[in-house]
């Protein structure tokens, strides 16, 4: 995380500060030499985010496969509800770690679990159709995100297997087709397996400070992990939190 601070002590007392300043304009001294940007190292929140996706996907997939009775919808919703809080935390930490892609993805996942839990727990008659439209909207979001997450292969893989699941869930909610519901359940378990692998691989990498299981980073994502401090600080002055506007 980064914070910028400036200490313009004595700037107003410097000779010539207020001379030749056009009326109506505020003089701004050059504070670059007095500015420090502080970075704080944090533990990666991504394993927590991926494990949360895996556990919640197992619960929702099991429901769609008919492993639970219809009366268990409320219980499944309560099991999924903590995923909202956990992934919201991951999103906040990812924003602080200057990773807008991971933060955005985890934030949307958090919102999706909250929506699922509330609709399922309410037990409204048209809830499945509402979730169907919601999942099709998630499908559009995921399709856009896959275009920018390819260098982050772990995120990209989770998205890639989530897309057909969102499509199947959306269509099953709108049409009521049983085979689409079962297909979505199977795909949910596939999402869980991929997310669990990504979480485990990232945890091993963090513990041993080297890649143990292949994750497939490329481009900027690979440079960020393998590069030196100069790579990490590249364009820092133009990043959100330092520049004047988002």
């Amino acid at each position: 995380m980064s914070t910028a601070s400036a200490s313009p002590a004595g700037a107003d007392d410097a000779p010539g500060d207020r001379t030749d300043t056009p009326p109506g304009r505020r003089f701004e001294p050059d504070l670059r030499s007095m500015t420090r940007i502080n970075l704080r190292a944090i533990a990666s929140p991504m394993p927590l985010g991926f494990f949360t996706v895996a556990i919640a996907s197992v619960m929702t997939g099991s429901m769609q496969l008919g492993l639970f009775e219809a009366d268990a919808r409320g219980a499944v919703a309560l099991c999924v509800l903590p995923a909202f809080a956990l992934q919201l935390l991951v999103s906040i930490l990812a924003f602080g770690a200057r990773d807008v892609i991971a933060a955005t993805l985890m934030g949307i996942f958090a919102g999706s679990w909250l929506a699922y839990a509330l609709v399922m727990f309410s037990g409204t008659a048209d809830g499945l159709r509402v979730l169907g439209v919601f999942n099709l909207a998630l499908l559009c979001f995921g399709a856009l995100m896959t275009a920018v997450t390819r260098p982050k292969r772990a995120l990209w893989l989770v998205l890639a297997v989530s897309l057909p699941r969102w499509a199947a869930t959306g269509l099953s909610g709108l049409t009521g087709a049983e085979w689409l519901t079962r297909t979505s359940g199977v795909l949910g378990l596939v999402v869980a397996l991929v997310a669990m692998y990504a979480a485990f691989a990232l945890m091993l990498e963090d513990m041993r400070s080297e890649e143990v299981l292949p994750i497939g980073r490329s481009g900027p994502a690979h440079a960020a992990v393998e590069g030196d401090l100069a790579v990490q600080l590249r364009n820092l002055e133009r990043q959100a939190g330092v520049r004047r506007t988002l």
Side-chain angles (χ1 to χ4, degrees):
M1 289 194 268
S2 63
T3 58
S5 60
S7 304
D12 293 337
D13 299 332
D17 272 358
R18 303 178 185 276
T19 60
D20 301 326
T21 303
R25 294 187 62 183
R26 181 180 178 183
F27 176 76
E28 296 185 3
D30 188 355
L31 303 179
R32 286 176 294 181
S33 61
M34 296 179 283
T35 301
R36 298 294 182 268
I37 299 173
N38 302 313
L39 301 179
R40 184 174 67 186
I42 63 172
S44 173
M46 296 310 296
L48 173 62
F50 284 133
F51 274 130
T52 303
V53 170
I55 295 171
S57 295
V58 167
M59 297 306 299
T60 56
S62 298
M63 185 73 195
Q64 291 172 316
L65 288 172
L67 299 181
F68 305 126
E69 299 294 333
D71 295 339
R73 286 183 177 181
V76 172
L78 290 177
C79 288
V80 171
L81 186 58
F84 158 70
L86 291 175
Q87 294 212 266
L88 180 61
L89 173 63
V90 172
S91 177
I92 294 172
L93 292 174
F95 275 119
R98 300 180 294 144
D99 193 333
V100 66
I101 294 177
T104 301
L105 183 62
M106 289 297 158
I108 293 297
F109 269 123
S112 69
W113 297 130
L114 178 61
Y116 176 88
L118 293 178
V119 171
M120 294 297 286
F121 189 77
S122 66
T124 55
D126 216 26
L128 293 180
R129 289 181 60 84
V130 172
L131 286 178
V133 175
F134 182 74
N135 277 274
L136 292 179
L138 282 177
L139 176 64
C140 297
F141 158 78
L144 294 175
M145 287 293 291
T146 53
V148 296
T149 57
R150 185 175 294 274
K152 297 175 175 290
R153 198 56 56 88
L155 284 172
W156 185 84
L157 284 174
V158 173
L159 268 176
V161 294
S162 296
L163 291 180
R165 195 207 180 186
W166 287 332
T169 303
L171 293 175
S172 68
L174 292 176
T175 64
E178 188 69 19
W179 70 272
L180 282 173
T181 302
R182 297 289 186 260
T183 300
S184 179
V186 172
L187 291 172
L189 299 183
V190 175
V191 171
L193 288 175
V194 174
M196 198 164 293
Y197 171 84
F200 186 62
L202 290 174
M203 287 189 69
L204 284 179
E205 181 182 76
D206 190 68
M207 291 173 60
R208 302 187 184 182
S209 299
E210 62 179 1
E211 186 178 280
V212 180
L213 296 175
I215 299 179
R217 290 189 186 93
S218 62
H222 181 267
V225 174
E226 300 296 335
D228 57 14
L229 187 59
V231 174
Q232 315 306 322
L233 303 181
R234 185 178 299 163
N235 294 325
L236 182 62
E237 69 275 11
R238 297 183 179 87
Q239 294 185 3
V242 179
R243 64 176 187 254
R244 180 170 296 183
T245 177
L246 295 178

